[in-house]
Amino acid sequence: MNLKRIFGALLTALGIAGLIYTAVVFTNTAGSTKDVKQLIIYGVLGIVFFVSGISLVRTTKDES
C-alpha cells in the first residue's frame, strides 16, 4: 500500500470529523463570541484537512 494514500485517507477522515463537529457546534450555539470562534476555527481546519486529503489521494499514482 502506498503511504501517501493512507495519509490522504486519514486527512480526509479528520476533515470530515471536523466538519461534523462544526455542524454540531452550529446547532447548539447561543450566539456568544466563543461559539463563533469555535465555528470558524473548526470549520476552517475541517475544510483544509478535507481538501488536502482528497487532493493527496487523487494525485497519488497507484503503482503496483
Side-chain angles (χ1 to χ4, degrees), residues 2-63:
N2 199 346
L3 189 61
K4 286 184 181 179
R5 282 193 178 253
I6 294 171
F7 189 62
L10 180 67
L11 281 176
T12 304
L14 285 173
I16 290 172
L19 291 173
I20 290 172
Y21 186 71
T22 302
V24 169
V25 170
F26 179 72
T27 58
N28 296 327
T29 57
S32 67
T33 306
K34 181 182 175 187
D35 293 335
V36 173
K37 286 181 183 177
Q38 281 183 345
L39 283 172
I40 292 171
I41 290 170
Y42 291 126
V44 168
L45 283 176
I47 289 171
V48 167
F49 283 177
F50 182 73
V51 169
S52 65
I54 291 294
S55 67
L56 190 61
V57 169
R58 285 183 51 188
T59 59
T60 303
K61 293 182 181 177
D62 196 21
E63 298 174 0

